[in-house]
Amino acid sequence: MRRAVIVQGLGFGDEGKGATVDFLTRQLSADLVIRFCGGSQAGHNVVLPDGRSHTFSQFGAGSLAGAATFLGEQMIIHPLAMHREAQHLEALTGDDPFDSLVIHPRALVSTLYHQQLNRLRELS
């Protein structure tokens, strides 16, 4: 029987969600982490026993433990930030994190144009 474990934050700060997901992924031999909402502003910190660390923002915090990532429909994908995060993960693990990433076809995408338009709107 398959099971799901949900890690939900109750506040707006570093509540330990990243470390919790990494721990549960390892303890339960999870093969998939689902991020159902949020975006590249997230900061889910994971520090491995050997001192290596990564702050997850778009990839699932179980990635260093070998879990694949599914980004849900309510995720806001920032392609440039995702590319930078993938480069850091690949440097840590030697594996391409895009090989174990699936993105919902209706997930939203935020671009540099969106950022600039938001800044202009705030200034006006």
Side-chain angles (χ1 to χ4, degrees), residues 15-80:
E15 304 156 301
K17 290 185 296 287
T20 300
V21 169
D22 178 72
F23 173 81
L24 290 171
T25 300
R26 293 172 193 283
Q27 289 296 313
L28 303 174
S29 300
D31 54 4
L32 179 66
V33 171
I34 298 172
R35 297 258 345 257
F36 64 93
C37 67
S40 63
Q41 82 288 354
H44 302 148
N45 297 301
V46 173
V47 179
L48 299 176
D50 64 7
R52 293 180 299 154
S53 65
H54 182 75
T55 300
F56 289 90
S57 59
Q58 294 183 93
F59 289 90
S63 297
L64 292 176
T69 298
F70 177 80
L71 301 180
E73 183 176 1
Q74 299 300 314
M75 283 292 296
I76 301 172
I77 311 301
H78 189 294
L80 294 177

